[in-house]
Amino acid sequence: MNAPTEVKVSLGVIGLGAVLFVAVALAWDSQNLRLPIGAGIVALAVCVGLIVRLRFARVVTMVATCLFAVVHLLIALSDAPPSWVRVVSGLLTAAYLYTAVLVNTEPARDYLESK
């Protein structure tokens, strides 16, 4: 893969974030897995779009990562989960927002939009 570092880091954050979200959901409450698995499916689609260099992948990535960040922010600010789940969700919020910024940098834009 001849992608710039920004795209590779974005792929890693989105992919590992989805796996971590499912793992935390399994460890905390294994009965509520619809949201983490659905987010994992969307994250997989976003990663495939970035790898294949679809024309609209940058915009879809920004929208998806912002939605993931909002979901994790709501989890981090709620009182229901244990503190370790809130810490992981807070870190994932920051990572997803960082990914939205990375995809908007010039090397990533040039790579994703020039095909």
Side-chain angles (χ1 to χ4, degrees):
M1 187 161 129
N2 203 10
T5 306
E6 291 85 353
V7 175
K8 291 177 185 177
V9 170
S10 298
L11 284 169
V13 168
I14 294 169
L16 292 176
V19 170
L20 185 62
F21 189 26
V22 172
V24 167
L26 280 172
W28 174 39
D29 183 18
S30 62
Q31 294 180 357
N32 295 325
L33 287 177
R34 285 186 186 168
L35 179 63
I37 291 176
I41 292 170
V42 171
L44 178 69
V46 168
C47 287
V48 167
L50 285 174
I51 291 171
V52 177
R53 294 173 62 179
L54 294 177
R55 185 171 46 96
F56 53 87
R58 186 179 62 84
V59 175
V60 171
T61 302
M62 287 190 312
V63 169
T65 55
C66 288
L67 288 176
F68 293 159
V70 168
V71 166
H72 284 290
L73 185 64
L74 290 174
I75 293 170
L77 294 177
S78 68
D79 290 334
S83 61
W84 65 273
V85 173
R86 294 193 317 223
V87 168
V88 170
S89 287
L91 291 174
L92 284 174
T93 299
Y96 282 130
L97 291 177
Y98 179 65
T99 299
V101 170
L102 276 180
V103 173
N104 231 356
T105 59
E106 188 173 353
R109 290 178 110 174
D110 290 341
Y111 175 77
L112 293 172
E113 292 179 355
S114 65
K115 189 170 181 182

